[in-house]
Each structure stands twice: as structure tokens, then as C-alpha cells.
């Protein structure tokens, strides 16, 4: 069993297992993640991006996806340069810093992601079948969210059945779910579901709309 935690308090757990503290990515590895997919930055922009991400893989992945999708990457880099630093161990600072990945979306795409994330926050599914979400949000929208690493597509998690019958599923990183909670407010009070007039709709109910 592999147990991972971003909280240093976990170091005090009395587990009869080997402990391996995992540090952050070095600049060379960070640069590789950041520039994946053909992202082009000059030296000054690259320094701003690397300093902001602090070697955190999730921050690097989100920023890389945002830069690939942005028509004006320089604007996003400028935003990061004025954002200031954050302490990775302090979750509120981490979530606030990573919110750039949603704030830079168009209004429609931002609403779609918040709608999707709220379903995961409210109903707490570990994953949802991709085809069900396509019915609700559209393939084009989900592709844009995947390109920005705001959703993750995975293989069917069970080993039963034929390989050809196993659908793809969609998962959201736990930090992104907490970021959605932060943006939506307590009990989703800042949330307005666009797919149904009833904001209390659950994921199972929403799928029936298809």
C-alpha cells in the first residue's frame, strides 16, 4: 500500500513502514512538465512561471494546460508575476494560488467546470462515466477542460467484462475539488446550476436529463 500526503503532520504517524519524503521537482524537471505540448516562453517568462509553481507538479500541469489554451500567454504570465508566492503546506494559500486555472477560463467554460465540479462535491463520486458527462456538457467543452488538465480521463476502474465494453471515466483531483468548494462558497451558495432550474439536482438526477 502506498500512502501519500501533502501534510507534514503525516510524518508523525506511527506506521510500521518505510517513509520516503518526496520533495518538489527541480527546475529541469519542472521545465519539462511546464513546456510539454509545445508551450513557448522566453527566459523571463519561464522564470516567472517556475518561481510561481515552486516545483509543484499540479501547479505546473495546470499552468501548462492554461498556457497552451491561452490566446495571450503573456497576460497569464503577467498575472502570475503580480500574484505573489504561496506556501504549499498551507492549503488555503495553495488553493487560492491555483485558482488562476479556472479564473482565466471564458465565462461559459468556467460555469461548465463549476457545474461539473459541484456534482462531484455534492454527490462525492470517485468517478463518472465520460459518456454521461458528454450528454450534459458536450464533448467539445469536456475536451477543453481536459486540455487544461481541469479534468482527468481514466480507464474503466474495474477488471470485469470485455475490454471493448469498458467506458472511459472522468475524475477530478482532490485539490481541484476543494478549490471548487472555495469558489462556490459554503453549501454552494454562490452556485447556479445552468442545466436545470433546481439547484438541488444531484448527479444521478442530472444524468436522467440525457
Amino acid at each position: 500500500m502506498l500512502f501519500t500526503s501533502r501534510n507534514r503532520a503525516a510524518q508523525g504517524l506511527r506506521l510500521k513502514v518505510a517513509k520516503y519524503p518526496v520533495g518538489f521537482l527541480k527546475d529541469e524537471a519542472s521545465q519539462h512538465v511546464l513546456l510539454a505540448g509545445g508551450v513557448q516562453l522566453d527566459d523571463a517568462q519561464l522564470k516567472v512561471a517556475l518561481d510561481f509553481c515552486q516545483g509543484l507538479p499540479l501547479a505546473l500541469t495546470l499552468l501548462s494546460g492554461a498556457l497552451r489554451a491561452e490566446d495571450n500567454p503573456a497576460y497569464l504570465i503577467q498575472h502570475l508575476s503580480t500574484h505573489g508566492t504561496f506556501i504549499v503546506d498551507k492549503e488555503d494559500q495553495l488553493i487560492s494560488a491555483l485558482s488562476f486555472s479556472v479564473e482565466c477560463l471564458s465565462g461559459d467554460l468556467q460555469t461548465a467546470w463549476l457545474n461539473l465540479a459541484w456534482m462531484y462535491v455534492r454527490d462525492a463520486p470517485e468517478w463518472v462515466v465520460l459518456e454521461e458527462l458528454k450528454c450534459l456538457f458536450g464533448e467539445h467543452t469536456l475536451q477543453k477542460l481536459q486540455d487544461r488538465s481541469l479534468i482527468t480521463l481514466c480507464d474503466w476502474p474495474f477488471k470485469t467484462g470485455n475490454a471493448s465494453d469498458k467506458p472511459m471515466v472522468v475524475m477530478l483531483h482532490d485539490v481541484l475539488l476543494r478549490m471548487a468548494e472555495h469558489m462556490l462558497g459554503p453549501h454552494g451558495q454562490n452556485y447556479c446550476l445552468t442545466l436545470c432550474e433546481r439547484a438541488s439536482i444531484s448527479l444521478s438526477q442530472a444524468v436522467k436529463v440525457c
Side-chain angles (χ1 to χ4, degrees), residues 17-113:
V17 295
K19 299 178 182 179
Y20 299 96
V22 179
F24 303 109
L25 298 179
K26 302 297 183 182
D27 281 353
E28 183 177 353
S30 294
Q31 184 172 330
H32 179 75
V33 175
L34 182 64
L35 301 182
V39 173
Q40 298 290 330
L41 298 175
D42 61 33
D43 290 344
Q45 292 172 332
L46 180 60
K47 184 179 186 308
V48 170
L50 293 177
D51 287 347
F52 175 83
C53 292
Q54 301 183 51
L56 189 66
L58 178 59
L60 291 161
T61 301
L62 290 173
L63 181 54
S64 179
L67 288 169
R68 287 195 303 271
E70 278 295 312
D71 294 329
N72 185 13
Y75 174 80
L76 182 54
I77 295 295
Q78 177 63 26
H79 171 77
L80 298 183
S81 67
T82 58
H83 191 283
T85 58
F86 61 93
I87 300 176
V88 174
D89 288 342
K90 294 188 176 182
E91 187 170 286
D92 58 336
Q93 291 190 23
L94 172 63
I95 289 173
S96 177
L98 296 184
S99 64
F100 77 86
S101 58
V102 175
E103 293 168 351
C104 69
L105 298 175
S106 66
D108 289 345
L109 199 57
Q110 184 176 134
T111 299
W113 185 80

Side-chain angles (χ1 to χ4, degrees), residues 163-174:
S164 59
D165 296 332
K166 296 178 181 178
M168 297 292 291
V169 299
V170 176
M171 302 180 71
L172 268 70
H173 195 289
D174 62 315

